[in-house]
Amino acid sequence: MMSEKSIYQKNDMVTVTIEDAGMDGEGIGKVDGYTLFIKDAVIGDQVEAKIMKAKKNYAYARLEKVLAPSPFRVQPLCDYARVCGGCQMQAMSYDEQLKFKERKIFHDLVRIGGFTEEEIEKVMEPIVGMDEPFYYRNKAQYPVGTDKDGNLVAGFYAGRTHSIIANTDCKLGITVNQQILEAVLSFMKENHISAYDEKLHKGLVRHVLIRCGFTTKEVMVCLVINGKSFPKERELVDCLLGLKLEDQGREWNITSICTSSNTKDTNVIMGDSFDVLFGKGHITDYIGDVAFQISPLSFYQVNPMQTKKLYELALEYANLSGDETVWDLYCGIGTISLFLAKKAGKVYGVEIIPQAIDNARENASINHIGNAEFFVGKAEEVLPEKYEKEQIRADVIVVDPPRKGCDEKCLNTMVKMKPERIVYVSCDPATLARDLKYLRENGYEVKRVRGVDQFPQTVHVETVALLTKKAR
Ligand code: SAH
């Protein structure tokens, strides 16, 4: 095979102005038509960068020096933003992050969806951002380990490695996380309880999981352990319950303390089950007026404020009058289904993970919602079966698929069912664009599109689209 010749070689220095940001938030700039991908460079920066990996038409380069900072460059709130890599966009002003996300949706719809720019301009509404784009996560998972001096630490894995950098103050979570983590670390130190060592597969405490209900102020602490049980359960409970948790004047209460045994040599954080040391084994939180029980193992949206806005938007797009038959495909624990149920005649949820459907049914029951029914299975299999064999119809179909989007068989059945409206909730604008193209070629038109920023400081963006059946 011929080797790819490049005008640049490894270790060459280049000076470039950043014009765009890529999929992972990296800066993109061009020199003589040659494209450079530079992590940590912000749109508008003029930078000096060192080529790390050169291909024929593009190269990856490392940011060496910001020669002239972009007007959008800001001081990250977190000292570890660059090493951590969890937040790809903290060095960019929040307004500019939102614009970046809007542009991403726009361009994907044009490039992949085949829409004209005018068509998109007509239907696209301004992205829904946050007033306070930090401290929004209701779930934190910190790995615990030992640093090179033998101190117990909790923090994060340094980008793509397995060494833990100590930092208990992630700015995306609530500030009480830090209090809890420091208390757990001191407790471990005083009681000679070891941290897990990944390389040796030895030591007890692997991760600390903290989940909180933003509306109820309930907090769950779950220690993931490499063993069957925790040696000083009572003492740990007393220690944690003794904490007075406060953040920005709001009081939080630890109402659930658990351990989850994970003795496998794996990257998966949680074990398959959990034991309750104190409280109920779940906390409760609300989205709007629907209550959800969250266990250490449940999937639950991590940004409750924006989730509420997202679901309200989906509900608005669904435009329910009270007697519609609604399908919620890829329903997870039934969050959207239950949110819509009160305004619909009947809701059917479909989800591939059986435990999530168990949660969905429980959540329906605690909210006394009797018009929601849930099926376990693949959307692309359950939907055709229920439609073709049982003739269950649809007035509105809501989908919220994972990043890879909807299976074509699923889209095809949706079209055959001829719902008046389709509401597409997407976590990847590229697959959204692909699927909207299909729906548009098969009798539907896109009426409204709107981004919702569920993950400020990161490159991820959620989008909601409304399609209606074309008049024939
Ligand atoms: N709507 C939910 C969850 C969305 S995440 C919420 O807002 O909380 C997408 C969900 O789709 C996940 O729960 C995943 O398990 C599920 N899933 C993935 N592939 C699927 C398939 N082929 N059929 C049905 N569900 C699927």
Side-chain angles (χ1 to χ4, degrees):
M1 217 169 73
M2 244 172 56
S3 70
E4 288 189 329
K5 269 237 178 73
S6 160
I7 49 168
Y8 288 110
Q9 309 288 318
K10 188 174 158 79
N11 295 330
D12 281 353
M13 295 296 283
V14 283
T15 298
V16 57
T17 301
I18 305 301
E19 287 158 15
D20 199 358
M23 290 245 294
D24 299 317
E26 73 279 17
I28 301 178
K30 282 196 167 147
V31 196
D32 303 327
Y34 189 83
T35 306
L36 295 158
F37 296 95
I38 307 169
K39 190 173 146 340
D40 304 310
V42 172
I43 299 176
D45 277 344
Q46 194 196 30
V47 302
E48 192 172 63
K50 190 183 208 170
I51 306 277
M52 304 309 291
K53 199 171 172 188
K55 299 277 187 181
K56 195 169 167 213
N57 299 313
Y58 64 93
Y60 297 97
R62 191 174 67 202
L63 175 63
E64 292 291 317
K65 196 172 172 193
V66 178
L67 300 173
S70 160
F72 313 126
R73 186 173 263 285
V74 294
Q75 179 65 36
L77 192 60
C78 172
D79 295 338
Y80 300 93
R82 195 170 165 182
V83 265
C84 168
C87 294
Q88 305 89 353
M89 308 209 109
Q90 256 199 52
M92 191 190 272
S93 75
Y94 187 55
D95 274 350
E96 198 54 30
Q97 290 180 30
L98 291 175
K99 285 189 193 138
F100 163 76
K101 293 182 184 189
E102 272 189 329
R103 279 199 302 270
K104 186 164 164 49
I105 298 169
F106 188 94
H107 289 306
D108 282 349
L109 289 174
V110 172
R111 194 170 50 89
I112 303 165
F115 293 84
T116 64
E117 294 194 354
E118 295 71 41
E119 280 172 323
I120 298 302
E121 270 156 19
K122 245 188 252 162
V123 296
M124 198 150 154
E125 302 166 28
I127 189 165
V128 183
M130 293 191 85
D131 296 333
E132 166 60 284
F134 286 98
Y135 313 111
Y136 60 79
R137 282 183 65 100
N138 58 12
K139 175 180 173 182
Q141 300 179 105
Y142 282 82
V144 178
T146 313
D147 71 8
K148 55 182 185 324
D149 303 320
N151 301 311
L152 286 174
V153 290
F156 59 89
Y157 292 114
R160 298 199 202 115
T161 74
H162 280 282
S163 50
I164 295 171
I165 294 186
N167 173 31
T168 52
D169 187 22
C170 168
K171 304 292 185 196
L172 298 192
I174 55 170
T175 53
V176 300
N177 290 340
Q178 184 166 32
Q179 261 181 284
I180 295 169
L181 288 162
E182 296 298 341
V184 171
L185 290 177
S186 317
F187 181 87
M188 287 172 64
K189 221 171 280 171
E190 279 159 27
N191 292 281
H192 308 288
I193 293 169
S194 59
Y196 181 62
D197 181 320
E198 262 200 335
K199 283 196 202 94
L200 303 174
H201 189 46
K202 277 205 178 110
L204 188 66
V205 180
R206 298 174 72 128
H207 272 84
V208 179
L209 165 75
I210 304 168
R211 305 190 79 157
C212 45
F214 274 55
T215 52
T216 57
K217 301 286 175 280
E218 293 181 5
V219 178
M220 162 185 287
V221 181
C222 180
L223 267 51
V224 183
I225 53 174
N226 173 40
K228 288 283 157 263
S229 63
F230 194 78
K232 301 217 166 175
E233 295 183 353
R234 281 286 304 276
E235 292 83 348
L236 176 74
V237 169
D238 290 343
C239 161
L240 289 174
L241 294 183
L243 295 173
K244 188 168 161 38
L245 301 177
E246 225 184 69
D247 109 305
Q248 296 163 4
R250 296 170 301 186
E251 251 182 61
W252 297 77
N253 297 302
I254 297 179
T255 56
S256 174
I257 302 173
C258 309
T259 55
S260 176
S261 165
N262 179 2
T263 55
K264 291 188 196 135
D265 189 359
T266 152
N267 284 339
V268 176
I269 296 178
M270 300 301 296
D272 300 328
S273 61
F274 61 92
D275 293 304
V276 179
L277 309 189
F278 170 79
K280 278 202 188 116
H282 66 253
I283 54 168
T284 302
D285 198 22
Y286 286 82
I287 302 176
D289 54 6
V290 186
F292 293 94
Q293 288 184 349
I294 307 151
S295 89
L297 301 176
S298 329
F299 171 85
Y300 187 66
Q301 295 278 352
V302 296
N303 184 337
M305 288 75 77
Q306 292 300 93
T307 298
K308 179 162 179 278
K309 294 185 200 166
L310 180 75
Y311 291 177
E312 278 167 354
L313 192 63
L315 183 63
E316 184 188 326
Y317 283 10
N319 192 19
L320 303 176
S321 63
D323 43 31
E324 288 89 349
T325 298
V326 181
W327 284 81
D328 175 20
L329 307 179
Y330 312 88
C331 70
I333 59 165
T335 30
I336 297 180
S337 321
L338 300 178
F339 201 77
L340 299 181
K342 293 186 173 174
K343 305 268 162 51
K346 176 88 195 190
V347 178
Y348 297 102
V350 184
E351 160 65 43
I352 198 168
I353 298 176
Q355 293 89 328
I357 289 292
D358 292 342
N359 290 153
R361 289 179 182 140
E362 275 159 31
N363 287 328
S365 145
I366 60 169
N367 287 287
H368 311 289
I369 292 174
N371 61 338
E373 199 175 319
F374 295 97
F375 305 115
V376 179
K378 292 184 179 169
E380 60 272 26
E381 290 171 5
V382 173
L383 195 66
E385 192 184 299
K386 295 290 164 190
Y387 171 61
E388 279 152 24
K389 297 210 182 108
E390 297 174 34
Q391 281 89 42
I392 304 182
R393 34 181 304 285
D395 296 305
V396 176
I397 299 181
V398 179
V399 299
D400 183 9
R403 302 198 67 167
K404 67 173 189 211
C406 295
D407 189 282
E408 197 170 310
K409 181 124 188 270
C410 177
L411 293 173
N412 178 263
T413 311
M414 285 163 60
V415 167
K416 279 194 207 150
M417 290 171 83
K418 299 196 181 73
E420 285 303 319
R421 289 176 291 286
I422 295 173
V423 179
Y424 197 130
V425 180
S426 158
C427 56
D428 185 349
T431 54
L432 169 73
R434 180 200 67 200
D435 291 349
L436 292 189
K437 182 168 193 227
Y438 180 95
L439 292 169
R440 222 156 59 109
E441 287 165 355
N442 289 281
Y444 282 81
E445 59 189 331
V446 176
K447 290 287 189 183
R448 298 172 75 177
V449 176
R450 189 162 199 180
V452 178
D453 191 20
Q454 292 277 84
F455 309 104
Q457 318 306 333
T458 79
V459 289
H460 304 290
V461 60
E462 206 86 2
T463 314
V464 190
L466 167 66
L467 298 102
T468 58
K469 199 167 68 187
K470 271 187 217 155
R472 295 208 306 145

